[in-house]
Amino acid sequence: MSAARVFSRRTAATLLLSGLTLSIVACAGITPKRMVPETAGPERKIALRLRVMPVTGSRDTFFGGPAFPTHEQVHEALVATLEKAGIFAGVSSSAGDLELTTTLLSTDQQGFLPTTVRVVANYKFTARDGTVLWSETYDSSFSAGDLGGAARTVNANEGAVRENLKALVQGIRARWRS
């Protein structure tokens, strides 16, 4: 075997191993902190405390399939987003004057490069007596073009949730009736 051919094989093997190492290192899991949007804008204090109920409707992740956010991850990001936005007098998972029920109606992933994730979520605010005070559904998507497939999927999922939560905060600020 010629020296050039041996060098070519070694180079190809090194590049392959480097690529595998990079994709393993780049495979961070979905993190609720990265789903929290910047919520800059005029604060609108609603003099009520909000109880954020557990999120329902998320799709389960399956081995070898897309890494969709769990309902616990979305719930954590939702609570952090509403706390950061400062819209309500308080935000909690345990007690409040209002209850927020969030249902993920659909979570879809399409494409390869870039990968686009679409999230449709319904947010329903109810009073203690069960009266629905406000309900909105937001449809958001986010595309990621990272080189590593897992990183691309994670970034697209986090971005789609982040955009949905951003739309929620903007919707509350624009349309909430005191």
Side-chain angles (χ1 to χ4, degrees):
M1 197 180 296
S2 72
R5 191 172 202 152
V6 169
F7 177 76
S8 176
R9 284 189 175 179
R10 284 186 183 163
T11 303
T14 302
L15 288 173
L16 178 63
L17 289 174
S18 297
L20 288 172
T21 302
L22 177 62
S23 59
I24 289 170
V25 170
C27 292
I30 292 175
T31 304
K33 283 183 180 181
R34 292 191 303 253
M35 291 189 270
V36 176
E38 290 300 318
T39 56
E43 287 193 25
R44 178 179 181 174
K45 262 307 195 212
I46 297 171
L48 298 169
R49 293 173 310 136
L50 181 64
R51 178 181 181 199
V52 182
M53 304 301 290
V55 174
T56 61
S58 65
R59 288 174 69 177
D60 292 331
T61 300
F62 56 92
F63 183 75
F68 294 114
T70 65
H71 58 278
E72 292 89 0
Q73 291 169 326
V74 175
H75 180 266
E76 185 179 332
L78 176 59
V79 169
T81 296
L82 291 170
E83 286 174 342
K84 185 177 180 182
I87 297 171
F88 294 93
V91 178
S92 167
S93 295
S94 57
D97 306 308
L98 304 172
E99 285 188 354
L100 170 58
T101 305
T102 303
T103 305
L104 297 178
L105 302 174
S106 72
T107 306
D108 294 317
Q109 178 178 312
Q110 296 179 353
F112 177 69
L113 197 61
T115 297
T116 301
V117 172
R118 179 177 173 230
V119 172
V120 180
N122 175 263
Y123 302 93
K124 182 168 54 172
F125 293 83
T126 56
R128 284 186 180 166
D129 65 1
T131 304
V132 176
L133 301 174
W134 193 74
S135 180
E136 289 283 335
T137 298
Y138 294 100
D139 185 336
S140 62
S141 63
F142 191 84
S143 296
D146 304 82
L147 186 58
R152 185 172 54 249
T153 299
V154 166
N155 290 338
N157 273 284
E158 289 173 346
V161 172
R162 186 173 50 251
E163 290 300 312
N164 206 278
L165 295 176
K166 181 179 174 183
L168 169 66
V169 169
Q170 290 171 342
I172 293 169
R173 285 186 172 142
R175 291 184 293 286
W176 185 276
R177 294 182 207 149
S178 297

